[in-house]
């Protein structure tokens, strides 16, 4: 299974997630209640997934995995780019997608939150 397919499959399982193409066919943008939590494209010719992360977690991820870099055209402290490579397996992709979603849901008004972001684990290792 490819990086994009794994990330998309996970995102589509998340409550209230919607796929759009506001930047053209080359960009897949996943939102929850109108707020972006994941973008997918190719730069240049390499599939990448762009995700939100807590600043300290984003730094730790970048320090420990050469296939995780600062976000492309995004706030470099809060967004990461995930590429295929050693250490990037299906469970890590699912964990990072779910965490990005949870971070976005946390900042939605309580009445608009499709899940409780403080207890929702989705497809992460914590829920298994």
């Amino acid at each position: 299974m490819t990086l994009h397919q794994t990330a998309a499959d996970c995102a589509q399982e998340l409550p209230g997630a919607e796929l759009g193409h506001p930047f053209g066919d080359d960009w897949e943008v996943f939102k929850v209640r109108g707020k972006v939590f994941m973008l997918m494209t190719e730069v240049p010719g390499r599939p990448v997934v762009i995700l939100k992360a807590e600043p300290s977690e984003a730094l730790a991820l970048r320090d420990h995995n050469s296939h995780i870099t600062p976000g492309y055209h995004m706030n470099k402290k809060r967004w990461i780019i995930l590429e295929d490579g050693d250490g990037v397996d299906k469970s890590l992709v699912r964990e990072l997608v779910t965490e990005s979603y949870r971070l976005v849901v946390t900042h939605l008004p309580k009445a608009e939150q499709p899940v409780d972001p403080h207890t929702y684990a989705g497809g992460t290792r914590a829920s298994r």
Side-chain angles (χ1 to χ4, degrees):
M1 188 171 280
T2 68
L3 174 66
H4 277 179
Q5 189 64 54
T6 299
D9 288 350
C10 179
Q12 291 169 344
E13 294 169 5
L14 298 169
E18 296 179 348
L19 170 62
H21 296 88
F23 310 122
D25 292 339
D26 292 345
W27 286 85
E28 292 191 1
V29 179
F30 286 84
K31 297 180 180 182
V32 58
R33 304 294 192 257
K35 302 291 183 185
V36 174
F37 70 90
M38 182 174 80
L39 302 100
M40 296 191 310
T41 192
E42 292 191 9
V43 281
R46 294 182 334 264
V48 297
V49 177
I50 305 168
L51 299 161
K52 193 164 194 166
E54 286 287 350
S56 60
E57 182 70 11
L59 184 60
L61 287 165
R62 292 191 308 259
D63 285 349
H64 292 95
N65 193 313
S66 63
H67 301 289
I68 299 176
T69 56
Y72 180 72
H73 290 303
M74 306 295 269
N75 178 319
K76 307 285 188 250
K77 290 181 182 178
R78 298 190 177 275
W79 290 84
I80 57 172
I81 293 178
L82 180 63
E83 296 183 52
D84 265 327
D86 291 340
V88 179
D89 60 15
K90 191 174 181 176
S91 68
L92 177 63
V93 173
R94 293 185 66 81
E95 183 176 330
L96 294 175
V97 170
T98 303
E99 179 63 8
S100 181
Y101 167 86
R102 195 191 63 74
L103 287 170
V104 171
V105 169
T106 297
H107 290 73
L108 294 173
K110 197 165 194 83
E112 291 183 30
Q113 294 177 348
V115 297
D116 181 345
H118 304 291
T119 60
Y120 185 74
T124 65
R125 293 177 212 176
S127 68
R128 292 184 199 147

